[in-house]
Amino acid sequence: MLGIWRDFVVAVVTALRKPDERALAEERRRAVDRLAAETIRDNRRATKPPE
């Protein structure tokens, strides 16, 4: 029974904890990098004359 309460408390504390700001910033940076690479690739494909 004690294990159930321990798991419950751990789940509540985990849910209420502030998210890791550094990890969120890193994920945002990677998303922006992916979007930039995709946009550049699409623009090059659109402007490249067919051979």
Side-chain angles (χ1 to χ4, degrees):
M1 188 69 162
L2 183 60
I4 295 171
W5 281 108
R6 181 180 46 98
D7 292 344
F8 175 74
V9 170
V10 169
V12 168
V13 169
T14 302
L16 295 177
R17 262 188 13 199
K18 193 171 152 184
D20 185 15
E21 296 295 328
R22 185 178 299 150
L24 290 174
E26 184 66 22
E27 180 58 34
R28 280 190 216 110
R29 186 193 63 75
R30 284 193 301 264
V32 168
D33 287 346
R34 285 191 303 266
L35 179 61
E38 182 179 324
T39 302
I40 290 169
R41 188 172 46 248
D42 290 346
N43 285 339
R44 285 183 181 162
R45 195 176 315 138
T47 59
K48 191 173 184 180
E51 294 179 12

